[in-house]
Amino acid sequence: MNSINHQVRLAARPSGLPKPSDWKLTTEPVPVPGPGEFLVSVSHVSIDPAMRRWMNAAHSYVEPVAIGAVMEAGAIGRVTASEHPGFPVGEYLYGDFGVQEFARSDGTGVSKLDPSLAPLPTYLGALGVTGLTAYFGLLDVARLSEGDTVVVSGAAGAVGSVAGQIAKIKGCRAIGIAGGPEKCRWIVDNLGFDAAIDYKAQDVARALPEYTPDRVDVFIDNVGGEILDAVLTRLARGARIVLSGGVSQYNAQRVSGPSNYLELIGARATMTGMITPDYADRYPEARAELAGWLREGRLTSREDVLEGGVRAFPDALLKLFAGENIGKLVLAVQ
Ligand SMILES: NC(=O)c1ccc[n+]([C@@H]2O[C@H](COP(=O)([O-])OP(=O)(O)OC[C@H]3O[C@@H](n4cnc5c(N)ncnc54)[C@H](OP(=O)(O)O)[C@@H]3O)[C@@H](O)[C@H]2O)c1
């Protein structure tokens, strides 16, 4: 077994897009688990837009990553040494293992995975936090009902691609907003969205009426900014906007709020923020249903798996903000 643990640490708080100098690659001896602990050999790290927010000093729903600390990341790995009876050697796990090759854990916040049910990267995709965001965002926060017109931004990404497919499974109309013709074709031709709007080529506010003749009942917003503003002009009465995230604002020095928010009043609409780990006690039931749809071929999970190990992490994160991923961006570690 490897005796060196390669890690990526936060070296400086970025201004705008993270630069190479905001990171430091370090090595340490592979840790040895103490009593009640186990060692995880990390195989796949989740690359998430929210990582950019965790790098800021400002208060958020998680503690900021400290300067000098290993970058936080959800990850998948396998137990390779254990002093913990609940986590024997060979067990596959998901946890906040960070951007590193090996992590020592006492099991806090760690969940067990069944690799016979789905390939490991799918536990970061449709069966991971992003798939679960789509699931709880639609079914719990938005209280989706059959026949709703659902608009999804970031529609070819990890959350968005699953959200549109769940909307279709539940008998709704799904309209995706994504950047570029390849992504728009993929969500319509392969995932079954009813229509796609290419926000890089089309004016979203002008295009929406054609695809949403009965206006928008549910909007799963992953990007914020101008796209949120455009959808606000097209709300049906009682519309539910779910704020999953705001990728377009994560690198901004000053976040631009929605100037069309007064549309919520006339539409008697709601706009609700959500944090998926709040639903952790319901993950097993949600994963079982998502896995069933995967098995039946009604749901597709696409993972965009990058090679290169932890040293490829800084470039991998930038790919999200350049829109270079289709589906869930994952970094293969070892
Ligand atoms: N609330 C929660 O608990 C929770 C959990 C997980 C994720 N999220 C949020 O869900 C959102 C999507 O995350 P994800 O992991 O699924 O990422 P993703 O959608 O797979 O990747 C990000 C995508 O955002 C789009 N994008 C980047 N810059 C943009 C811009 N300036 N304007 C419009 N679109 C832009 C790009 O697609 P295009 O090519 O289409 O531009 C890019 O591919 C994020 O906001 C994330 O923070 C929230």
Side-chain angles (χ1 to χ4, degrees):
M1 193 181 81
N2 205 338
S3 59
I4 303 288
N5 185 18
H6 292 90
Q7 305 164 312
V8 175
R9 292 176 184 269
L10 184 64
R13 301 216 179 274
S15 163
L17 281 171
K19 305 181 292 301
S21 57
D22 296 328
W23 304 109
K24 190 165 187 220
L25 278 158
T26 56
T27 54
E28 267 184 5
V30 171
V32 176
E37 294 181 335
F38 52 92
L39 180 69
V40 176
S41 169
V42 175
S43 61
H44 297 88
V45 164
S46 176
I47 310 292
D48 290 283
M51 288 172 150
R52 176 62 190 82
R53 299 200 70 208
W54 308 340
M55 295 166 76
N56 292 340
H59 172 78
S60 169
Y61 63 100
V62 289
E63 285 294 310
V65 179
I67 299 294
V70 172
M71 181 60 195
E72 304 244 346
I76 285 173
R78 190 163 177 264
V79 179
T80 52
S82 182
E83 297 289 330
H84 191 308
F87 294 92
V89 169
E91 193 91 65
Y92 288 92
L93 304 174
Y94 171 84
D96 187 9
F97 299 136
V99 185
Q100 56 183 345
E101 293 171 339
F102 294 92
R104 187 169 47 188
S105 170
D106 62 5
T108 306
V110 168
S111 50
K112 297 184 180 185
L113 311 179
D114 180 354
S116 69
L117 207 60
L120 287 177
T122 304
Y123 283 98
L124 297 177
L127 300 180
V129 175
T130 51
L132 293 162
T133 301
Y135 183 93
F136 289 111
L138 280 172
L139 304 184
D140 202 279
V141 184
R143 303 176 316 281
L144 191 69
S145 69
E146 196 177 336
D148 278 345
T149 295
V150 178
V151 172
V152 179
S153 62
V159 173
S161 60
V162 175
Q165 293 181 84
I166 295 176
K168 291 308 297 175
I169 289 168
K170 295 290 180 183
C172 299
R173 190 173 158 71
I175 313 300
I177 304 173
E182 186 190 357
K183 292 185 177 189
C184 287
R185 263 196 310 274
W186 178 63
I187 63 173
V188 173
D189 295 349
N190 298 70
L191 304 187
F193 281 59
D194 294 283
I197 299 172
D198 177 356
Y199 76 91
K200 291 185 175 165
Q202 292 171 271
D203 179 319
V204 176
R206 282 205 188 151
L208 273 171
E210 182 187 336
Y211 303 118
T212 60
D214 297 326
R215 295 182 165 261
V216 177
D217 299 300
V218 172
F219 177 38
I220 303 292
D221 189 22
N222 291 305
V223 307
E226 289 174 12
I227 290 175
L228 170 57
D229 252 332
V231 179
L232 278 166
T233 64
R234 194 63 197 158
L235 299 180
R237 185 166 174 158
R240 290 88 73 202
I241 297 177
V242 179
L243 296 182
S244 157
V247 182
S248 73
Q249 304 299 310
Y250 288 176
N251 290 288
Q253 300 287 72
R254 192 160 184 279
V255 170
S256 308
S259 43
N260 292 332
Y261 77 95
L262 293 180
E263 300 292 332
L264 295 168
I265 301 169
R268 288 78 157 170
T270 59
M271 196 151 108
T272 311
M274 71 172 292
I275 290 296
T276 306
D278 291 351
Y279 294 89
D281 58 342
R282 291 173 54 197
Y283 282 0
E285 77 186 62
R287 277 211 182 103
E289 189 159 30
L290 289 160
W293 292 332
L294 284 170
R295 221 173 22 248
E296 293 158 11
R298 301 171 78 195
L299 177 65
T300 296
S301 182
R302 176 165 169 172
E303 296 90 34
D304 201 337
V305 182
L306 303 173
E307 301 296 330
V310 295
R311 69 183 63 245
F313 171 77
D315 286 341
L317 183 59
L318 294 179
K319 285 183 188 294
L320 288 175
F321 300 107
E324 288 176 26
N325 62 305
I326 298 188
K328 170 67 197 165
L329 195 63
V330 171
L331 180 62
V333 169
Q334 53 181 350

